[in-house]
Amino acid sequence: MCLAVPVRVTELLPDQMARVSLDGVSKTISIALVDDVSVGDYVILHVGFALSKIDAAEAERTLAMIRDFAGAVQ
């Protein structure tokens, strides 16, 4: 099973890379597959690569569902 999650871009880096954040966890990823990424954008992250941009409202809804699910499993 593959999982891709929305993350917020916090910094653009050289060589088509960016720093992203999810619940305080920061990671450097490739944004080579996505055009026009800006700080503050949400992207769908899968194995270190941004696959597409996602609307902020949709990203927040998706993250809320993931958090709800994680809380229900514990």
Side-chain angles (χ1 to χ4, degrees):
M1 177 169 81
C2 296
L3 179 64
V5 294
V7 293
R8 189 174 57 83
V9 176
T10 58
E11 181 181 1
L12 297 176
L13 303 170
D15 301 321
Q16 296 184 310
M17 301 295 283
R19 181 161 306 280
V20 297
S21 177
L22 175 61
D23 287 342
V25 176
S26 183
K27 180 172 179 66
T28 300
I29 68 165
S30 172
I31 55 172
L33 302 175
V34 182
D35 292 328
D36 300 321
V37 175
S38 300
V39 170
D41 285 346
Y42 279 88
V43 295
I44 298 296
L45 173 65
H46 178 63
V47 292
F49 290 87
L51 300 179
S52 65
K53 289 198 303 189
I54 185 173
D55 174 79
E58 182 64 24
E60 290 298 336
R61 279 192 300 273
T62 301
L63 291 170
M65 285 189 289
I66 291 171
R67 289 179 190 114
D68 288 347
F69 178 75
V73 171
Q74 294 177 359

